[in-house]
Amino acid sequence: MDSELPRAPQNQYTRRRFISLGLLGTLGLTGGYIAINNVVAAEDQNKLIIPKHIPTPQKWSNSEVTVAWLGHASFLINFFGTRILIDPALYSHIGITPVGNLTIGPSRYIASPLSSDEVGPIDLMLVSHAHTDHFDYPTLRKFQSANTFAVTAKNTLPLWNGMKYKSIEELHWQETTCLAGVTVKAIEGKHWGARIPWKKGMEANSLLLSKNGINIFFGADTGYTELIKQQLNGIPIDLAILGIGAYSPKSFEDKHATPEQAWKMGEEMSAKWVIPMHWGAFKLSREPMDEPILRFRQAAAGQIEKVAIQETGVTWVLPRS
């Protein structure tokens, strides 16, 4: 294990730790053995860091495209009046939920800049895949509404049992739907989507969102692949949101792009603007917490003005042409 990571005191097993150890195989889907180590050490982590930037979605204009990063892979977007929440995980932990909303897993290093109550009503809920840092039961249950459409990945619909959304639609690669005025297309990346090891059919999506001639690409989790460039060929990408963390040890890199690979993918799709994500909120891999953004800035050197958001909680408005 990395010497930087917190370690649990010897022979101190609370009931919560005991339950956690019995479910490590499932929890490993969150991010491997580093995540498992964090369950054992969860009680020893420091208090949450409070973000310096707090979005104010109630003030956003419906005539613009406004994006706020809520940490990790969670984004709140006002897309010309359509309010979208992507891969939301807004509580203090991610992981498995053996009873109700009790969550056993890694705790946050930096708090969500908005609580679930502060986000406001949502028109469209998008969940890229079923891993616990993207498909968070407590958050999804909080936002269920008869006014909210939801989109999920292939063979993950049973995970939504009991949740009451206006509709819950599975999308597989190359399939498209139009909900709340936004066209959503599932894009094939290089990841896997099983929440538990034996559910091999659960897939993972990247997503293309389109409205009023503007295209937003949400990469979700993916290793470097030219498949994405091929699927987006001929589509002008105004904003690409790309994961830059969870690439260490080397074996993780196959399913999570390095910062340099993420920048390369953004360049390959000719994205006008880029937002790096999937770093800084949870310790899911071996690289130091700040290493992904430092490496990403180096990769973007000379074009850093294209990077729209670099800190949790920052709000960005797509410039008018």
Side-chain angles (χ1 to χ4, degrees):
M1 289 289 183
D2 195 314
S3 60
E4 295 180 352
L5 300 180
R7 297 183 182 278
Q10 295 296 316
N11 301 320
Q12 294 184 19
Y13 290 97
T14 63
R15 181 175 181 272
R16 176 171 175 145
R17 287 181 177 178
F18 180 79
I19 294 172
S20 302
L21 289 171
L23 296 165
L24 292 183
T26 301
L27 181 58
L29 293 172
T30 308
Y33 56 85
I34 304 300
I36 292 171
N37 184 67
N38 280 346
V39 174
V40 179
E43 294 174 14
D44 303 315
Q45 293 186 357
N46 295 326
K47 289 180 63 176
L48 283 172
I49 298 169
I50 304 302
K52 294 184 292 184
H53 307 277
I54 304 298
T56 55
Q58 69 277 9
K59 298 180 180 179
W60 295 356
S61 170
N62 289 341
S63 63
E64 297 178 313
V65 179
T66 307
V67 180
W69 184 32
L70 305 185
H72 199 59
S74 302
F75 284 84
L76 178 63
I77 302 175
N78 186 324
F79 201 170
F80 295 121
T82 303
R83 295 155 298 185
I84 303 172
L85 195 56
I86 307 179
D87 283 2
L90 305 184
Y91 292 98
S92 61
H93 289 74
I94 53 170
I96 54 174
T97 52
V99 180
N101 285 336
L102 170 66
T103 302
I104 300 173
S107 61
R108 300 186 77 101
Y109 277 63
I110 184 167
S112 170
L114 294 177
S115 69
S116 55
D117 290 328
E118 293 168 331
V119 168
I122 296 299
D123 300 307
L124 182 56
M125 175 71 73
L126 303 176
V127 179
S128 63
H129 64 295
H131 290 169
T132 59
D133 54 326
H134 297 257
F135 191 110
D136 180 62
Y137 269 120
T139 307
L140 293 177
R141 288 170 179 150
K142 177 67 177 181
F143 283 99
Q144 59 187 325
S145 165
N147 299 314
T148 304
F149 297 97
V151 174
T152 190
K154 181 181 178 182
N155 293 328
T156 62
L157 194 58
L159 298 176
W160 297 75
N161 285 346
M163 285 191 268
K164 298 178 181 179
Y165 283 83
K166 187 170 186 177
S167 69
I168 305 169
E169 185 173 345
E170 285 189 354
L171 276 191
H172 193 40
W173 306 323
Q174 309 310 313
E175 292 179 346
T176 299
T177 188
C178 187
L179 298 168
V182 174
T183 299
V184 183
K185 183 175 183 178
I187 301 295
E188 181 181 0
K190 191 180 181 186
H191 198 61
W192 82 106
R195 191 174 182 89
I196 48 180
W198 51 91
K199 293 291 185 180
K200 302 291 186 182
M202 291 183 180
E203 296 289 0
N205 291 332
S206 296
L207 297 167
L208 176 66
L209 315 179
S210 305
K211 184 177 182 180
N212 294 353
I214 299 298
N215 298 296
I216 299 174
F217 175 73
F218 178 75
D221 280 2
T222 180
Y224 173 78
T225 173
E226 292 187 353
L227 275 174
I228 291 175
K229 175 182 69 174
Q230 294 165 8
Q231 293 166 90
L232 299 178
N233 185 41
I235 301 172
I237 301 300
D238 296 278
L239 171 65
I241 302 173
L242 300 168
I244 65 169
Y247 51 79
S248 178
K250 184 71 174 178
S251 58
F252 283 23
E253 190 177 311
D254 184 57
K255 303 300 183 182
H256 297 94
T258 66
E260 296 79 12
Q261 290 169 337
W263 177 257
K264 182 179 179 181
M265 286 194 288
E267 291 284 271
E268 288 178 345
M269 66 182 74
S270 300
K272 295 177 184 176
W273 303 91
V274 178
I275 296 176
M277 55 110 176
H278 206 273
W279 69 275
F282 302 102
K283 186 71 172 178
L284 303 180
S285 49
R286 276 191 166 177
E287 73 270 5
M289 292 294 285
D290 291 335
E291 181 182 281
I293 191 60
L294 296 176
R295 287 176 52 174
F296 189 78
R297 288 170 183 158
Q298 289 181 330
Q303 299 185 74
I304 196 67
E305 68 280 357
K306 289 175 57 175
V307 182
I309 292 176
Q310 298 185 48
E311 295 182 71
T312 301
V314 168
T315 299
W316 176 81
V317 178
L318 178 71
R320 297 176 185 272
S321 322

